[in-house]
Amino acid sequence: MVRYADPGAVEWVESGGGPLIAVPETVLPFWAGADGDETASDYDRACEVDGPVGLLPVGDSAALVFGDEPASTSYLPDHGTFVRWCAADSEEELLARVPAALATAEWGQEVRWKVPGTVVLFDSAWPGQETERTEHLRVALEPGAYAVRAAQVQPGPETWLGLVQLRCLPH
């Protein structure tokens, strides 16, 4: 099994202060970020999401918005979970506590997210077509419907993390 703390094993995405967003690759060109002539940009819509996660329409699909705080975020495919680094002395400590955090999490209300396949996690202020120019993470997902749930967990005295778990739903 891969140890996530090995160099290069986990790639973290950070934001400039606003929410992170996971947009299906097929609709990236439709995400305008903070750009646009409209009164409310896509970025403004993302900032209005109340709670740890929410969905916003993008093209003929939906994007998953990571609300609450702009914590560094990565995806751990073995757990089907986005992990948000709120507080920890080291990446190794944070990742070592993920299994305990998953086991003790008090999950919030689920949202249903239908994805056409791979999504891209990035700072919601960026236009989708420019993700290659900023920190981003491609997350390979099987096309289908997912139940998405979130939790804030303190698995250690100095360790806090956010969890956003994806569970594939039957067809």
mmCIF file with all atom_site columns, all heavy atoms in Angstrom, residues 116-132:
data_model
loop_
_atom_site.group_PDB
_atom_site.id
_atom_site.type_symbol
_atom_site.label_atom_id
_atom_site.label_alt_id
_atom_site.label_comp_id
_atom_site.label_asym_id
_atom_site.label_entity_id
_atom_site.label_seq_id
_atom_site.pdbx_PDB_ins_code
_atom_site.Cartn_x
_atom_site.Cartn_y
_atom_site.Cartn_z
_atom_site.occupancy
_atom_site.B_iso_or_equiv
_atom_site.pdbx_formal_charge
_atom_site.auth_seq_id
_atom_site.auth_comp_id
_atom_site.auth_asym_id
_atom_site.auth_atom_id
_atom_site.pdbx_PDB_model_num
ATOM 1   N N   . PRO A 1 116 ? -20.024 12.960 -15.242 1.00 0.00 ? 116 PRO A N   1
ATOM 2   C CA  . PRO A 1 116 ? -19.792 12.243 -16.489 1.00 0.00 ? 116 PRO A CA  1
ATOM 3   C C   . PRO A 1 116 ? -18.430 11.545 -16.532 1.00 0.00 ? 116 PRO A C   1
ATOM 4   O O   . PRO A 1 116 ? -18.107 10.881 -17.507 1.00 0.00 ? 116 PRO A O   1
ATOM 5   C CB  . PRO A 1 116 ? -19.875 13.340 -17.550 1.00 0.00 ? 116 PRO A CB  1
ATOM 6   C CG  . PRO A 1 116 ? -19.500 14.590 -16.826 1.00 0.00 ? 116 PRO A CG  1
ATOM 7   C CD  . PRO A 1 116 ? -19.931 14.406 -15.399 1.00 0.00 ? 116 PRO A CD  1
ATOM 8   N N   . GLY A 1 117 ? -17.616 11.691 -15.484 1.00 0.00 ? 117 GLY A N   1
ATOM 9   C CA  . GLY A 1 117 ? -16.282 11.092 -15.449 1.00 0.00 ? 117 GLY A CA  1
ATOM 10  C C   . GLY A 1 117 ? -15.335 11.982 -14.662 1.00 0.00 ? 117 GLY A C   1
ATOM 11  O O   . GLY A 1 117 ? -15.721 12.587 -13.668 1.00 0.00 ? 117 GLY A O   1
ATOM 12  N N   . THR A 1 118 ? -14.103 12.089 -15.116 1.00 0.00 ? 118 THR A N   1
ATOM 13  C CA  . THR A 1 118 ? -13.050 12.829 -14.428 1.00 0.00 ? 118 THR A CA  1
ATOM 14  C C   . THR A 1 118 ? -13.473 14.258 -14.096 1.00 0.00 ? 118 THR A C   1
ATOM 15  O O   . THR A 1 118 ? -14.103 14.936 -14.907 1.00 0.00 ? 118 THR A O   1
ATOM 16  C CB  . THR A 1 118 ? -11.778 12.843 -15.299 1.00 0.00 ? 118 THR A CB  1
ATOM 17  O OG1 . THR A 1 118 ? -11.351 11.487 -15.465 1.00 0.00 ? 118 THR A OG1 1
ATOM 18  C CG2 . THR A 1 118 ? -10.657 13.632 -14.640 1.00 0.00 ? 118 THR A CG2 1
ATOM 19  N N   . VAL A 1 119 ? -13.100 14.698 -12.876 1.00 0.00 ? 119 VAL A N   1
ATOM 20  C CA  . VAL A 1 119 ? -13.342 16.077 -12.450 1.00 0.00 ? 119 VAL A CA  1
ATOM 21  C C   . VAL A 1 119 ? -11.997 16.735 -12.160 1.00 0.00 ? 119 VAL A C   1
ATOM 22  O O   . VAL A 1 119 ? -10.987 16.056 -11.948 1.00 0.00 ? 119 VAL A O   1
ATOM 23  C CB  . VAL A 1 119 ? -14.266 16.148 -11.208 1.00 0.00 ? 119 VAL A CB  1
ATOM 24  C CG1 . VAL A 1 119 ? -15.625 15.530 -11.512 1.00 0.00 ? 119 VAL A CG1 1
ATOM 25  C CG2 . VAL A 1 119 ? -13.633 15.508 -9.996  1.00 0.00 ? 119 VAL A CG2 1
ATOM 26  N N   . VAL A 1 120 ? -11.994 18.069 -12.159 1.00 0.00 ? 120 VAL A N   1
ATOM 27  C CA  . VAL A 1 120 ? -10.786 18.834 -11.877 1.00 0.00 ? 120 VAL A CA  1
ATOM 28  C C   . VAL A 1 120 ? -11.059 19.718 -10.666 1.00 0.00 ? 120 VAL A C   1
ATOM 29  O O   . VAL A 1 120 ? -12.020 20.496 -10.651 1.00 0.00 ? 120 VAL A O   1
ATOM 30  C CB  . VAL A 1 120 ? -10.361 19.695 -13.085 1.00 0.00 ? 120 VAL A CB  1
ATOM 31  C CG1 . VAL A 1 120 ? -9.079  20.464 -12.769 1.00 0.00 ? 120 VAL A CG1 1
ATOM 32  C CG2 . VAL A 1 120 ? -10.151 18.815 -14.321 1.00 0.00 ? 120 VAL A CG2 1
ATOM 33  N N   . LEU A 1 121 ? -10.213 19.576 -9.643  1.00 0.00 ? 121 LEU A N   1
ATOM 34  C CA  . LEU A 1 121 ? -10.306 20.371 -8.414  1.00 0.00 ? 121 LEU A CA  1
ATOM 35  C C   . LEU A 1 121 ? -9.386  21.574 -8.549  1.00 0.00 ? 121 LEU A C   1
ATOM 36  O O   . LEU A 1 121 ? -8.203  21.417 -8.873  1.00 0.00 ? 121 LEU A O   1
ATOM 37  C CB  . LEU A 1 121 ? -9.886  19.511 -7.220  1.00 0.00 ? 121 LEU A CB  1
ATOM 38  C CG  . LEU A 1 121 ? -9.823  20.210 -5.865  1.00 0.00 ? 121 LEU A CG  1
ATOM 39  C CD1 . LEU A 1 121 ? -11.230 20.521 -5.360  1.00 0.00 ? 121 LEU A CD1 1
ATOM 40  C CD2 . LEU A 1 121 ? -9.067  19.342 -4.862  1.00 0.00 ? 121 LEU A CD2 1
ATOM 41  N N   . PHE A 1 122 ? -9.927  22.787 -8.304  1.00 0.00 ? 122 PHE A N   1
ATOM 42  C CA  . PHE A 1 122 ? -9.116  23.996 -8.421  1.00 0.00 ? 122 PHE A CA  1
ATOM 43  C C   . PHE A 1 122 ? -9.797  25.144 -7.687  1.00 0.00 ? 122 PHE A C   1
ATOM 44  O O   . PHE A 1 122 ? -10.936 25.017 -7.218  1.00 0.00 ? 122 PHE A O   1
ATOM 45  C CB  . PHE A 1 122 ? -8.857  24.349 -9.896  1.00 0.00 ? 122 PHE A CB  1
ATOM 46  C CG  . PHE A 1 122 ? -10.086 24.620 -10.716 1.00 0.00 ? 122 PHE A CG  1
ATOM 47  C CD1 . PHE A 1 122 ? -10.500 25.923 -10.979 1.00 0.00 ? 122 PHE A CD1 1
ATOM 48  C CD2 . PHE A 1 122 ? -10.837 23.572 -11.244 1.00 0.00 ? 122 PHE A CD2 1
ATOM 49  C CE1 . PHE A 1 122 ? -11.631 26.173 -11.738 1.00 0.00 ? 122 PHE A CE1 1
ATOM 50  C CE2 . PHE A 1 122 ? -11.965 23.806 -12.007 1.00 0.00 ? 122 PHE A CE2 1
ATOM 51  C CZ  . PHE A 1 122 ? -12.372 25.124 -12.260 1.00 0.00 ? 122 PHE A CZ  1
ATOM 52  N N   . ASP A 1 123 ? -9.114  26.276 -7.606  1.00 0.00 ? 123 ASP A N   1
ATOM 53  C CA  . ASP A 1 123 ? -9.640  27.487 -6.991  1.00 0.00 ? 123 ASP A CA  1
ATOM 54  C C   . ASP A 1 123 ? -10.775 28.013 -7.863  1.00 0.00 ? 123 ASP A C   1
ATOM 55  O O   . ASP A 1 123 ? -10.587 28.270 -9.053  1.00 0.00 ? 123 ASP A O   1
ATOM 56  C CB  . ASP A 1 123 ? -8.507  28.524 -6.883  1.00 0.00 ? 123 ASP A CB  1
ATOM 57  C CG  . ASP A 1 123 ? -8.903  29.805 -6.166  1.00 0.00 ? 123 ASP A CG  1
ATOM 58  O OD1 . ASP A 1 123 ? -10.096 30.175 -6.175  1.00 0.00 ? 123 ASP A OD1 1
ATOM 59  O OD2 . ASP A 1 123 ? -8.002  30.454 -5.616  1.00 0.00 ? 123 ASP A OD2 1
ATOM 60  N N   . SER A 1 124 ? -11.945 28.207 -7.268  1.00 0.00 ? 124 SER A N   1
ATOM 61  C CA  . SER A 1 124 ? -13.130 28.601 -8.047  1.00 0.00 ? 124 SER A CA  1
ATOM 62  C C   . SER A 1 124 ? -13.013 29.975 -8.692  1.00 0.00 ? 124 SER A C   1
ATOM 63  O O   . SER A 1 124 ? -13.815 30.317 -9.561  1.00 0.00 ? 124 SER A O   1
ATOM 64  C CB  . SER A 1 124 ? -14.384 28.552 -7.169  1.00 0.00 ? 124 SER A CB  1
ATOM 65  O OG  . SER A 1 124 ? -14.269 29.449 -6.073  1.00 0.00 ? 124 SER A OG  1
ATOM 66  N N   . ALA A 1 125 ? -12.019 30.778 -8.304  1.00 0.00 ? 125 ALA A N   1
ATOM 67  C CA  . ALA A 1 125 ? -11.835 32.094 -8.933  1.00 0.00 ? 125 ALA A CA  1
ATOM 68  C C   . ALA A 1 125 ? -11.283 31.973 -10.354 1.00 0.00 ? 125 ALA A C   1
ATOM 69  O O   . ALA A 1 125 ? -11.433 32.881 -11.158 1.00 0.00 ? 125 ALA A O   1
ATOM 70  C CB  . ALA A 1 125 ? -10.900 32.963 -8.088  1.00 0.00 ? 125 ALA A CB  1
ATOM 71  N N   . TRP A 1 126 ? -10.651 30.857 -10.670 1.00 0.00 ? 126 TRP A N   1
ATOM 72  C CA  . TRP A 1 126 ? -10.047 30.663 -11.998 1.00 0.00 ? 126 TRP A CA  1
ATOM 73  C C   . TRP A 1 126 ? -11.079 30.195 -13.006 1.00 0.00 ? 126 TRP A C   1
ATOM 74  O O   . TRP A 1 126 ? -11.930 29.366 -12.694 1.00 0.00 ? 126 TRP A O   1
ATOM 75  C CB  . TRP A 1 126 ? -8.939  29.615 -11.929 1.00 0.00 ? 126 TRP A CB  1
ATOM 76  C CG  . TRP A 1 126 ? -7.681  30.164 -11.366 1.00 0.00 ? 126 TRP A CG  1
ATOM 77  C CD1 . TRP A 1 126 ? -7.360  30.293 -10.046 1.00 0.00 ? 126 TRP A CD1 1
ATOM 78  C CD2 . TRP A 1 126 ? -6.573  30.669 -12.094 1.00 0.00 ? 126 TRP A CD2 1
ATOM 79  N NE1 . TRP A 1 126 ? -6.122  30.849 -9.915  1.00 0.00 ? 126 TRP A NE1 1
ATOM 80  C CE2 . TRP A 1 126 ? -5.613  31.094 -11.160 1.00 0.00 ? 126 TRP A CE2 1
ATOM 81  C CE3 . TRP A 1 126 ? -6.301  30.807 -13.455 1.00 0.00 ? 126 TRP A CE3 1
ATOM 82  C CZ2 . TRP A 1 126 ? -4.397  31.642 -11.539 1.00 0.00 ? 126 TRP A CZ2 1
ATOM 83  C CZ3 . TRP A 1 126 ? -5.091  31.351 -13.830 1.00 0.00 ? 126 TRP A CZ3 1
ATOM 84  C CH2 . TRP A 1 126 ? -4.155  31.766 -12.882 1.00 0.00 ? 126 TRP A CH2 1
ATOM 85  N N   . PRO A 1 127 ? -10.971 30.670 -14.252 1.00 0.00 ? 127 PRO A N   1
ATOM 86  C CA  . PRO A 1 127 ? -11.809 30.105 -15.321 1.00 0.00 ? 127 PRO A CA  1
ATOM 87  C C   . PRO A 1 127 ? -11.404 28.649 -15.587 1.00 0.00 ? 127 PRO A C   1
ATOM 88  O O   . PRO A 1 127 ? -10.219 28.311 -15.505 1.00 0.00 ? 127 PRO A O   1
ATOM 89  C CB  . PRO A 1 127 ? -11.492 30.985 -16.534 1.00 0.00 ? 127 PRO A CB  1
ATOM 90  C CG  . PRO A 1 127 ? -10.865 32.222 -15.984 1.00 0.00 ? 127 PRO A CG  1
ATOM 91  C CD  . PRO A 1 127 ? -10.184 31.811 -14.717 1.00 0.00 ? 127 PRO A CD  1
ATOM 92  N N   . GLY A 1 128 ? -12.373 27.825 -15.894 1.00 0.00 ? 128 GLY A N   1
ATOM 93  C CA  . GLY A 1 128 ? -12.104 26.412 -16.137 1.00 0.00 ? 128 GLY A CA  1
ATOM 94  C C   . GLY A 1 128 ? -11.086 26.158 -17.229 1.00 0.00 ? 128 GLY A C   1
ATOM 95  O O   . GLY A 1 128 ? -10.294 25.226 -17.158 1.00 0.00 ? 128 GLY A O   1
ATOM 96  N N   . GLN A 1 129 ? -11.079 27.013 -18.263 1.00 0.00 ? 129 GLN A N   1
ATOM 97  C CA  . GLN A 1 129 ? -10.153 26.812 -19.375 1.00 0.00 ? 129 GLN A CA  1
ATOM 98  C C   . GLN A 1 129 ? -8.709  27.136 -18.997 1.00 0.00 ? 129 GLN A C   1
ATOM 99  O O   . GLN A 1 129 ? -7.799  26.835 -19.754 1.00 0.00 ? 129 GLN A O   1
ATOM 100 C CB  . GLN A 1 129 ? -10.569 27.663 -20.570 1.00 0.00 ? 129 GLN A CB  1
ATOM 101 C CG  . GLN A 1 129 ? -11.872 27.199 -21.185 1.00 0.00 ? 129 GLN A CG  1
ATOM 102 C CD  . GLN A 1 129 ? -12.264 28.049 -22.383 1.00 0.00 ? 129 GLN A CD  1
ATOM 103 O OE1 . GLN A 1 129 ? -11.999 29.241 -22.438 1.00 0.00 ? 129 GLN A OE1 1
ATOM 104 N NE2 . GLN A 1 129 ? -12.912 27.411 -23.352 1.00 0.00 ? 129 GLN A NE2 1
ATOM 105 N N   . GLU A 1 130 ? -8.495  27.763 -17.838 1.00 0.00 ? 130 GLU A N   1
ATOM 106 C CA  . GLU A 1 130 ? -7.145  28.150 -17.437 1.00 0.00 ? 130 GLU A CA  1
ATOM 107 C C   . GLU A 1 130 ? -6.600  27.324 -16.278 1.00 0.00 ? 130 GLU A C   1
ATOM 108 O O   . GLU A 1 130 ? -5.606  27.699 -15.664 1.00 0.00 ? 130 GLU A O   1
ATOM 109 C CB  . GLU A 1 130 ? -7.121  29.642 -17.078 1.00 0.00 ? 130 GLU A CB  1
ATOM 110 C CG  . GLU A 1 130 ? -7.427  30.519 -18.275 1.00 0.00 ? 130 GLU A CG  1
ATOM 111 C CD  . GLU A 1 130 ? -7.305  32.000 -17.954 1.00 0.00 ? 130 GLU A CD  1
ATOM 112 O OE1 . GLU A 1 130 ? -6.599  32.356 -16.991 1.00 0.00 ? 130 GLU A OE1 1
ATOM 113 O OE2 . GLU A 1 130 ? -7.917  32.788 -18.682 1.00 0.00 ? 130 GLU A OE2 1
ATOM 114 N N   . THR A 1 131 ? -7.217  26.184 -15.978 1.00 0.00 ? 131 THR A N   1
ATOM 115 C CA  . THR A 1 131 ? -6.771  25.394 -14.828 1.00 0.00 ? 131 THR A CA  1
ATOM 116 C C   . THR A 1 131 ? -5.334  24.900 -14.975 1.00 0.00 ? 131 THR A C   1
ATOM 117 O O   . THR A 1 131 ? -4.657  24.694 -13.977 1.00 0.00 ? 131 THR A O   1
ATOM 118 C CB  . THR A 1 131 ? -7.700  24.189 -14.568 1.00 0.00 ? 131 THR A CB  1
ATOM 119 O OG1 . THR A 1 131 ? -7.798  23.409 -15.756 1.00 0.00 ? 131 THR A OG1 1
ATOM 120 C CG2 . THR A 1 131 ? -9.067  24.655 -14.123 1.00 0.00 ? 131 THR A CG2 1
ATOM 121 N N   . GLU A 1 132 ? -4.863  24.723 -16.201 1.00 0.00 ? 132 GLU A N   1
ATOM 122 C CA  . GLU A 1 132 ? -3.477  24.270 -16.396 1.00 0.00 ? 132 GLU A CA  1
ATOM 123 C C   . GLU A 1 132 ? -2.465  25.305 -15.900 1.00 0.00 ? 132 GLU A C   1
ATOM 124 O O   . GLU A 1 132 ? -1.324  24.987 -15.635 1.00 0.00 ? 132 GLU A O   1
ATOM 125 C CB  . GLU A 1 132 ? -3.219  23.949 -17.877 1.00 0.00 ? 132 GLU A CB  1
ATOM 126 C CG  . GLU A 1 132 ? -3.993  22.757 -18.397 1.00 0.00 ? 132 GLU A CG  1
ATOM 127 C CD  . GLU A 1 132 ? -3.666  21.451 -17.677 1.00 0.00 ? 132 GLU A CD  1
ATOM 128 O OE1 . GLU A 1 132 ? -2.488  21.222 -17.345 1.00 0.00 ? 132 GLU A OE1 1
ATOM 129 O OE2 . GLU A 1 132 ? -4.601  20.665 -17.445 1.00 0.00 ? 132 GLU A OE2 1
#
